[in-house]
Amino acid sequence: MMRPKRFLDRVHVFILMVLCFIAVFPTSVIGQGKIRRFKWEVKYEFKSPDCFEKLVITVNGKFPGPTIKANQGDTIIVELKNSFLTENVAVHWHGIRQIRTPWFDGVEGVTQCPILPGEVFIYQFVVDRPGTYMYHSHYGMQRESGLTGMIRVSPPVTEPEPFTYDYDRNVFLTDWYHESMAEKATGLASIPFKWVGEPESLLIQGRGIFNCSNDLSTTQNIVPGVCNATNADCSRFVLTVIPGKTYRLRIGSLTSLSALSFQIEGHNLTVVEADGHYVEPFIVKNLFIYSGETYSVLLKADQNPSRNYWITTSIVSRPANTSQGTAVLNYYPNHPRRLPPTLESSILRPIWNDTRRRLAQSLAIKARGGFIHAPPKNSDKVIVLLNTQNEVNGYRRWSVNNVSYHHPKTPYLIALKQNLTDAFDWSFTPPENYDSLNYNISQVPPNANATTSDGIYRLRFGSTVDVILQNANTMNRDNSETHPWHLHGHDFWVLGYGVGKFNESEDPKRYNLINPIMKNTVAVQPFGWTALRFRADNPGVWSFHCHIESHFFMGMGIVFESGVDRVSNLPSSIMGCGQTKR
Amino acid sequence: MMRPKRFLDRVHVFILMVLCFIAVFPTSVIGQGKIRRFKWEVKYEFKSPDCFEKLVITVNGKFPGPTIKANQGDTIIVELKNSFLTENVAVHWHGIRQIRTPWFDGVEGVTQCPILPGEVFIYQFVVDRPGTYMYHSHYGMQRESGLTGMIRVSPPVTEPEPFTYDYDRNVFLTDWYHESMAEKATGLASIPFKWVGEPESLLIQGRGIFNCSNDLSTTQNIVPGVCNATNADCSRFVLTVIPGKTYRLRIGSLTSLSALSFQIEGHNLTVVEADGHYVEPFIVKNLFIYSGETYSVLLKADQNPSRNYWITTSIVSRPANTSQGTAVLNYYPNHPRRLPPTLESSILRPIWNDTRRRLAQSLAIKARGGFIHAPPKNSDKVIVLLNTQNEVNGYRRWSVNNVSYHHPKTPYLIALKQNLTDAFDWSFTPPENYDSLNYNISQVPPNANATTSDGIYRLRFGSTVDVILQNANTMNRDNSETHPWHLHGHDFWVLGYGVGKFNESEDPKRYNLINPIMKNTVAVQPFGWTALRFRADNPGVWSFHCHIESHFFMGMGIVFESGVDRVSNLPSSIMGCGQTKR
């Protein structure tokens, strides 16, 4: 009698050990490459990125946060300590698809519970493709306060990039407000509605120069003694180059609101990468970049080396009176503090409402020959998403097909895996179209009411989905805004852009199915449409939203689920809120 | 065979039902009186309590929050919804002993995990004694932003109060900053240390008048267009009285920093209650009140009724240049907006550093005849707590016996009940005295180093404990501050006060053991000492700390445990952080 029982006991112990091993070392998330560990502490510190001192979120004391550098296939482990005093946090790894680790996508309410003050949360994921990515807070409107940075993934030496350069540099772009994130968010969620306004500054690599003596009427937030050109961080970013050398500039934008143009005085920029995909090279004087996008451009230091040059960024698509952001391209061995001989105001910037020119750049971005991932010829489903501004119970909101999005208290991923049927509205099927025949996209919505919902789009796993982003007039006459939409967990093919209302029978005939670029973020222009296609082949729950911080906060997003049954057991670290609170 | 099994099943089901019933209706927390339910939503809103518009925490849209009115023995149920966007919350019921409900004391890190955004937390407790109490946030320095209000408990009609009055009114006092709580807290936790500074205003019932055109050098936070006398809430509190009638004024202070004097022009105030205990009546012109204290005073409307009178409050114990807070005592039927004919600056306020006069009031407060709870004649333990300012790793801190306090991530109550031996430093026994022979309390600490610890004082259940609060010099020469110490879960007898260093052999001989007042908050004056005694007869874990928001934040507190083994099963709602995160 004893033998079999002891044998069974041993089997049990063995199974238990194997299970423990799997739990502790989930093989699925270990890449083929190195393990790169980072210990991060996030907290508020007084900083003056544009000379105005305010609370800024830092990572290990830095704003922007440190750049993550890795090789394709590496496993990134970030031990993130929340050292805020009363505020939670969650960090999204923008552009990283989180294959087999959908629980580490970092979206509060979608893939995880927030990280409490004092807690350490461990993100662990594989960077499976080379390219330029970013990270940022994905909780409330926290990103605006500074928890932002870049991720740079190199290909293996056996798969060289199709272009060469001598040096690799980051150029990280943000817009900057002087009021706190809490003030901005409270204003947006107030009756009467209080718009965030245009940013006070544009920052290049976290640096800017705000004119402290500026007109008070346009900048309500000047506090004597707090804005000062002698403040610690108050200086321009300097990019030093050696004459004749070629620089890869990895340009990323995590603006809260602004669409940008970026330019370097007297220099051409050759676009070679977008959102981690190689681009058939083309040259620009002004690079248009929307929040959530990254580009690599090649810069050759081929101009008169006896002087320095302006690097500027300016707002497009909105009639903002925010000063352009400035930095200095410093030709070695000139002094880095030596200002260019030209006036910074002389640098040509595009007219803010020249939509056609911006669209031209978008259309110019194609996948590079030899690196084309051909899209499926057909899709299984077409979802048309009308972007509108609305009112819900007196609150100003953004909506998609007249549904304004909000998070449930229990993150979707957990609710779906654990079958928590009352965690969100499972019964609500968000509309896959709008009344396109009768809706006039050029007028203020005649009936601005919308509903709010936390219902989600459930996609058949492996199916191919087309999404048409259809822009429309806002609540203001003759006004339509630019919305950069970002898809989590996937890249999509950009099949086409158009002006006016999308024509479901005609426009698809003109889709680029030959060499469309793949991206994770794409803009829909005022009164226009953008068509994209993706394969729902990454098991998980994925946010798809306008990357303008206030627009997403006001409901401009949706959530896709597909293959959630294929998702492995969730780590307990993502739980602890809503119905998963013990 | 079947019978016994089915019988056992039925027994099991019955036991299960009983257990469920106990879990849902814990009889221990149901009082003898009514159940009073409140639904509260806390959030940030733009308000201008002193004419300066800023984010204020409101309860159901109100600042200060609504007054809880109840009768002795009632059970209060507050369903608190956290409608902050990224911030957690916890609410303490100040002066309520939480007998049999130590888990609802509302102290984040001590008795509960914080309440997450979107969550509803249900506080349920019995108000077991009549008197004047308060509630406020007990998380980070959140109280400073406005989550504050009063609790008024009436005795049963069979036990009338020993004084009469016609009307019952609240006079709730706070000081007010224009910078955000996050800015203040970040400054305190920075190197170099950034002191919070003196408040911009003093508020009476949440109202004040900040002089928007004040000297910029003293008020760094004037933002044009934000401070405006036309702002919505910008008006003085008016207390209307009918000539000849007597008013009970329930005066409570939840200042962040300031010790106050309170006075009503031309009127005497008769002190009759302190922290829920009847006081042998005495008359004052100026009532001194420290943060965390409540007093009831009787005001007779016995002056010339043809005019109105100033109500003022001013800062004592610090050389602040904050304007006095003003309200209007309006004699009916004069117009409530009619200002008194006198200058508000003519109202006599005590000299800020007249410590002797403040001490005299403290000494005058005795338990009322007929309502004396005699203290035990002896104590089982004497704990002497030296209050000092220190440096820890370059950070400015406050310490008690050279130990600066900080919370663990897992609340003590949970850690102790669940025997989580690594949740905090169980092995550290905080010192019960200091080197009183050799320490010079009148000098800057010669060695300002201190340690930080989350170790706690464990008291024998039922034992009588004396605590001597010994004040000392701060890090600045010839400076010692006033610290109002607040004990959770108990009232204590105030046995004595003294100037200079406490003498352990002589001073106890002069203790008042006849008719000492019982309180939950008591001040220790600059360079002086205060002796108190309490019975450790309330099972739980209880915070004891300086009620100055920044001082507690900087480590000025300790924690007492006693009888934690007698505490019933903890509700799961208080868990979800630290080691109790699932």
Side-chain angles (χ1 to χ4, degrees):
Chain A
M1 280 294 280
M2 283 303 282
R3 280 277 163 83
K5 188 170 187 298
R6 285 180 61 188
F7 175 71
L8 277 174
D9 278 351
R10 282 183 189 172
V11 168
H12 286 150
V13 167
F14 179 72
I15 290 171
L16 206 69
M17 283 173 66
V18 168
L19 287 173
C20 282
F21 186 80
I22 290 170
V24 177
F25 303 101
T27 48
S28 58
V29 298
I30 303 288
Q32 302 302 306
K34 278 192 187 165
I35 292 180
R36 295 183 188 267
R37 285 178 192 280
F38 301 89
K39 276 199 165 195
W40 284 6
E41 183 184 20
V42 300
K43 62 176 174 178
Y44 281 100
E45 291 184 65
F46 282 102
K47 294 261 180 195
S48 39
D50 68 346
C51 309
F52 178 92
E53 189 182 64
K54 61 166 282 188
L55 288 187
V56 177
I57 301 178
T58 59
V59 178
N60 294 344
K62 291 195 170 66
F63 164 78
T67 299
I68 292 180
K69 293 179 186 171
N71 294 319
Q72 183 177 358
D74 287 353
T75 296
I76 307 295
I77 300 178
V78 177
E79 286 182 32
L80 188 136
K81 178 167 188 196
N82 175 356
S83 286
F84 295 151
L85 302 168
T86 56
E87 217 175 298
N88 306 312
V89 73
V91 175
H92 170 56
W93 315 93
H94 185 107
I96 308 300
R97 291 177 295 174
Q98 301 289 356
I99 292 168
R100 290 189 205 93
T101 52
W103 45 76
F104 287 141
D105 195 39
V107 184
E108 184 271 333
V110 177
T111 62
Q112 71 166 96
C113 291
I115 307 163
L116 273 63
E119 276 186 10
V120 174
F121 185 94
I122 301 175
Y123 287 100
Q124 178 170 334
F125 52 87
V126 174
V127 287
D128 64 322
R129 288 179 307 124
T132 308
Y133 308 102
M134 303 185 285
Y135 62 83
H136 59 81
S137 167
H138 216 298
Y139 185 53
M141 284 180 34
Q142 227 169 36
R143 188 181 91 209
E144 188 179 301
S145 302
L147 207 180
T148 48
M150 295 190 81
I151 303 171
R152 190 193 277 190
V153 183
S154 302
V157 281
T158 53
E159 293 175 34
E161 289 161 321
F163 45 84
T164 57
Y165 47 91
D166 300 298
Y167 299 99
D168 201 343
R169 297 284 183 266
N170 287 350
V171 178
F172 182 61
L173 306 176
T174 42
D175 49 10
W176 197 244
Y177 287 99
H178 292 171
E179 277 195 309
S180 69
M181 173 267 291
E183 288 169 309
K184 294 298 189 193
T186 302
L188 294 175
S190 290
I191 298 176
F193 175 70
K194 195 172 166 187
W195 172 234
V196 295
E198 300 296 334
E200 270 77 28
S201 301
L202 298 178
L203 307 185
I204 300 177
Q205 283 289 101
R207 303 282 197 75
I209 300 281
F210 178 72
N211 185 348
C212 298
S213 57
N214 240 1
D215 178 14
L216 284 182
S217 64
T218 58
T219 53
Q220 294 268 316
N221 298 294
I222 294 186
V223 179
V226 171
C227 188
N228 200 319
T230 64
N231 278 351
D233 316 306
C234 184
S235 67
R236 285 187 186 84
F237 169 65
V238 174
L239 176 66
T240 299
V241 292
I242 297 167
K245 296 293 184 186
T246 297
Y247 290 80
R248 176 185 191 167
L249 304 185
R250 295 177 186 261
I251 306 173
S253 170
L254 285 178
T255 52
S256 295
L257 173 66
S258 313
L260 298 176
S261 169
F262 174 86
Q263 43 273 328
I264 301 181
E265 184 187 10
H267 290 72
N268 288 333
L269 305 173
T270 305
V271 180
V272 293
E273 183 216 342
D275 293 5
H277 292 274
Y278 299 129
V279 167
E280 188 63 36
F282 66 101
I283 292 170
V284 295
K285 290 276 186 195
N286 309 94
L287 178 79
F288 297 106
I289 181 166
Y290 305 95
S291 181
E293 288 191 318
T294 67
Y295 289 98
S296 284
V297 300
L298 299 181
L299 165 76
K300 184 148 197 202
D302 58 2
Q303 297 299 303
N304 175 0
S306 69
R307 52 162 288 197
N308 292 339
Y309 296 83
W310 288 111
I311 300 174
T312 71
T313 185
S314 48
I315 294 178
V316 292
S317 105
R318 302 183 63 86
N321 53 13
T322 308
S323 299
Q324 64 185 347
T326 56
V328 171
L329 184 74
N330 163 233
Y331 269 69
Y332 183 83
N334 297 326
H335 195 285
R337 289 283 177 93
R338 198 169 128 200
L339 290 184
T342 48
L343 286 174
E344 55 179 90
S345 59
S346 70
I347 310 311
L348 281 183
R349 49 200 266 187
I351 298 163
W352 72 269
N353 57 358
D354 189 351
T355 305
R356 196 186 297 216
R357 192 169 157 197
R358 299 206 304 278
L359 195 55
Q361 177 188 300
S362 294
L363 289 166
I365 302 173
K366 315 279 190 204
R368 183 167 186 139
F371 296 87
I372 296 169
H373 304 274
K377 287 283 168 265
N378 297 295
S379 69
D380 300 305
K381 181 196 273 288
V382 177
I383 301 175
V384 182
L385 300 176
L386 179 71
N387 293 200
T388 55
Q389 219 174 33
N390 297 72
E391 300 270 344
V392 179
N393 302 325
Y395 291 95
R396 180 67 61 93
R397 301 283 296 174
W398 285 95
S399 303
V400 171
N401 292 347
N402 250 29
V403 179
S404 191
Y405 169 79
H406 65 87
H407 283 328
K409 279 178 287 184
T410 309
Y412 292 111
L413 181 61
I414 307 171
L416 286 161
K417 280 298 288 180
Q418 299 191 347
N419 206 32
L420 305 173
T421 51
D422 52 349
F424 68 92
D425 189 356
W426 291 55
S427 66
F428 184 80
T429 309
E432 297 187 355
N433 215 321
Y434 69 107
D435 181 10
S436 59
L437 269 182
N438 298 308
Y439 193 91
N440 186 341
I441 64 161
S442 308
Q443 287 190 354
V444 171
N447 178 2
N449 281 343
T451 55
T452 62
S453 173
D454 56 13
I456 63 173
Y457 291 80
R458 306 195 67 165
L459 305 175
R460 183 168 58 77
F461 183 72
S463 64
T464 300
V465 179
D466 281 4
V467 174
I468 317 300
L469 296 162
Q470 175 65 60
N471 214 336
N473 204 98
T474 66
M475 300 280 280
N476 303 315
R477 281 178 64 156
D478 300 325
N479 178 249
S480 181
E481 303 192 1
T482 304
H483 304 288
W485 280 78
H486 172 62
L487 178 59
H488 290 232
H490 309 74
D491 292 336
F492 47 74
W493 291 274
V494 183
L495 300 186
Y497 300 87
V499 177
K501 196 188 283 187
F502 176 74
N503 183 321
E504 286 189 54
S505 53
E506 293 304 313
D507 286 324
K509 295 177 187 167
R510 285 184 291 276
Y511 281 168
N512 175 8
L513 299 175
I514 308 302
N515 60 350
I517 189 73
M518 295 193 83
K519 291 182 103 272
N520 59 61
T521 305
V522 71
V524 53
Q525 299 291 348
F527 299 111
W529 57 265
T530 299
L532 52 94
R533 178 170 292 176
F534 71 98
R535 262 210 203 96
D537 57 0
N538 190 5
V541 187
W542 307 106
S543 191
F544 179 49
H545 61 90
C546 177
H547 210 263
I548 292 177
E549 190 79 324
S550 50
H551 289 188
F552 182 45
F553 179 78
M554 292 164 71
M556 198 169 202
I558 62 173
V559 167
F560 291 122
E561 175 277 329
S562 76
V564 78
D565 49 307
R566 294 164 184 251
V567 171
S568 316
N569 285 341
L570 304 178
S572 65
S573 63
I574 65 168
M575 304 187 191
C577 61
Q579 293 186 30
T580 70
K581 197 180 166 83
R582 49 178 278 168
Chain B
M1 279 294 279
M2 283 304 282
R3 278 278 162 86
K5 189 170 186 301
R6 285 180 62 189
F7 175 72
L8 277 174
D9 278 350
R10 281 183 190 170
V11 168
H12 285 151
V13 166
F14 178 71
I15 290 171
L16 206 70
M17 283 173 65
V18 168
L19 287 173
C20 283
F21 186 79
I22 290 170
V24 176
F25 303 101
T27 49
S28 58
V29 298
I30 302 289
Q32 302 302 307
K34 275 191 189 165
I35 292 179
R36 294 181 189 268
R37 285 178 192 279
F38 301 89
K39 276 199 164 194
W40 284 7
E41 182 184 22
V42 299
K43 61 176 175 178
Y44 281 100
E45 291 184 65
F46 283 102
K47 294 260 180 195
S48 39
D50 69 346
C51 310
F52 178 93
E53 190 183 64
K54 62 166 280 189
L55 288 187
V56 177
I57 301 178
T58 59
V59 179
N60 294 344
K62 290 195 170 66
F63 163 78
T67 299
I68 291 180
K69 294 179 186 173
N71 294 319
Q72 183 177 358
D74 288 352
T75 296
I76 307 295
I77 301 177
V78 178
E79 286 182 33
L80 189 136
K81 178 168 187 194
N82 176 356
S83 286
F84 296 151
L85 302 168
T86 55
E87 218 175 299
N88 306 312
V89 73
V91 176
H92 170 55
W93 314 93
H94 184 108
I96 309 300
R97 292 177 294 174
Q98 300 290 355
I99 292 169
R100 291 188 205 94
T101 52
W103 45 76
F104 287 141
D105 196 38
V107 184
E108 184 270 334
V110 178
T111 63
Q112 72 167 97
C113 291
I115 307 164
L116 272 66
E119 276 186 9
V120 174
F121 186 94
I122 301 176
Y123 287 100
Q124 178 170 335
F125 52 88
V126 174
V127 287
D128 64 324
R129 288 179 307 123
T132 308
Y133 308 101
M134 303 185 285
Y135 62 83
H136 60 81
S137 167
H138 216 298
Y139 185 52
M141 285 180 35
Q142 226 169 37
R143 189 180 91 210
E144 188 178 301
S145 302
L147 208 179
T148 48
M150 296 190 80
I151 302 171
R152 189 193 279 189
V153 183
S154 303
V157 280
T158 53
E159 291 174 35
E161 288 160 322
F163 45 83
T164 57
Y165 48 90
D166 300 298
Y167 299 99
D168 201 344
R169 297 282 183 267
N170 287 351
V171 178
F172 181 62
L173 307 175
T174 43
D175 49 11
W176 197 244
Y177 288 98
H178 292 171
E179 276 194 310
S180 70
M181 173 268 291
E183 288 169 309
K184 293 299 189 192
T186 302
L188 294 174
S190 290
I191 297 176
F193 175 70
K194 194 172 167 187
W195 172 235
V196 294
E198 300 296 334
E200 270 76 28
S201 301
L202 299 178
L203 307 184
I204 300 177
Q205 283 289 103
R207 303 282 197 77
I209 301 282
F210 178 73
N211 186 347
C212 299
S213 57
N214 240 2
D215 177 14
L216 285 183
S217 64
T218 59
T219 53
Q220 294 267 317
N221 298 293
I222 293 187
V223 179
V226 171
C227 188
N228 199 318
T230 64
N231 278 353
D233 316 307
C234 183
S235 66
R236 286 187 184 85
F237 170 65
V238 174
L239 177 66
T240 300
V241 293
I242 298 167
K245 297 293 184 185
T246 299
Y247 291 79
R248 176 184 191 167
L249 304 185
R250 295 177 186 261
I251 307 174
S253 170
L254 285 179
T255 51
S256 295
L257 173 66
S258 313
L260 298 175
S261 170
F262 174 86
Q263 45 272 329
I264 301 181
E265 184 187 10
H267 290 74
N268 288 332
L269 305 173
T270 305
V271 181
V272 293
E273 183 216 344
D275 292 5
H277 292 273
Y278 298 130
V279 168
E280 188 64 34
F282 65 100
I283 292 171
V284 295
K285 290 274 187 198
N286 308 94
L287 178 79
F288 297 107
I289 181 166
Y290 306 95
S291 181
E293 289 190 319
T294 67
Y295 290 98
S296 283
V297 300
L298 299 182
L299 165 77
K300 185 146 195 203
D302 58 3
Q303 297 300 303
N304 176 0
S306 69
R307 54 162 287 199
N308 292 338
Y309 297 83
W310 288 111
I311 301 173
T312 71
T313 184
S314 48
I315 293 177
V316 292
S317 106
R318 302 182 62 86
N321 53 13
T322 307
S323 299
Q324 64 185 346
T326 56
V328 171
L329 183 74
N330 164 233
Y331 269 70
Y332 182 84
N334 298 324
H335 196 285
R337 290 283 176 92
R338 199 169 126 201
L339 291 184
T342 49
L343 287 174
E344 55 180 271
S345 58
S346 71
I347 310 310
L348 282 183
R349 50 200 265 185
I351 299 163
W352 73 268
N353 57 357
D354 189 350
T355 305
R356 196 184 299 215
R357 191 168 158 198
R358 299 205 305 276
L359 196 54
Q361 177 188 300
S362 294
L363 289 165
I365 302 172
K366 315 278 188 202
R368 184 166 185 138
F371 295 87
I372 296 170
H373 304 275
K377 287 285 169 263
N378 297 294
S379 68
D380 300 306
K381 180 196 273 288
V382 178
I383 301 175
V384 183
L385 300 176
L386 179 71
N387 293 200
T388 55
Q389 219 175 33
N390 297 71
E391 300 270 345
V392 178
N393 302 326
Y395 291 96
R396 181 67 60 92
R397 302 282 297 175
W398 284 94
S399 304
V400 170
N401 292 347
N402 251 30
V403 179
S404 190
Y405 168 80
H406 65 88
H407 284 327
K409 279 177 287 182
T410 310
Y412 293 110
L413 181 60
I414 307 171
L416 286 160
K417 281 297 288 181
Q418 299 191 347
N419 205 32
L420 306 173
T421 51
D422 52 350
F424 69 94
D425 188 356
W426 292 55
S427 66
F428 183 81
T429 309
E432 297 186 356
N433 215 322
Y434 69 107
D435 181 10
S436 59
L437 269 183
N438 298 308
Y439 193 92
N440 186 341
I441 63 161
S442 308
Q443 286 190 355
V444 171
N447 178 1
N449 281 342
T451 55
T452 61
S453 174
D454 56 13
I456 63 174
Y457 292 80
R458 305 196 67 166
L459 305 175
R460 182 168 58 77
F461 184 71
S463 64
T464 300
V465 179
D466 282 5
V467 173
I468 318 298
L469 296 162
Q470 175 65 61
N471 214 336
N473 205 97
T474 65
M475 299 280 280
N476 303 315
R477 282 179 61 159
D478 301 324
N479 178 250
S480 180
E481 302 192 1
T482 304
H483 304 288
W485 279 77
H486 172 61
L487 179 59
H488 290 233
H490 308 74
D491 292 336
F492 48 74
W493 291 275
V494 183
L495 300 186
Y497 299 87
V499 176
K501 197 188 281 185
F502 176 74
N503 182 319
E504 287 190 53
S505 54
E506 292 305 313
D507 287 324
K509 295 176 187 166
R510 285 184 290 276
Y511 281 169
N512 174 9
L513 299 174
I514 309 302
N515 60 351
I517 190 71
M518 295 194 82
K519 291 183 103 271
N520 60 59
T521 306
V522 72
V524 54
Q525 300 291 347
F527 300 111
W529 57 264
T530 299
L532 52 96
R533 177 170 292 177
F534 70 98
R535 262 208 203 98
D537 57 0
N538 189 7
V541 187
W542 307 106
S543 192
F544 179 49
H545 61 91
C546 177
H547 210 263
I548 293 177
E549 191 80 323
S550 49
H551 290 189
F552 181 46
F553 179 77
M554 291 164 71
M556 198 171 203
I558 62 173
V559 167
F560 290 123
E561 175 277 328
S562 77
V564 78
D565 49 308
R566 294 165 183 250
V567 171
S568 315
N569 285 340
L570 303 178
S572 65
S573 64
I574 65 168
M575 304 185 190
C577 60
Q579 294 186 29
T580 71
K581 196 180 166 81
R582 48 177 280 168

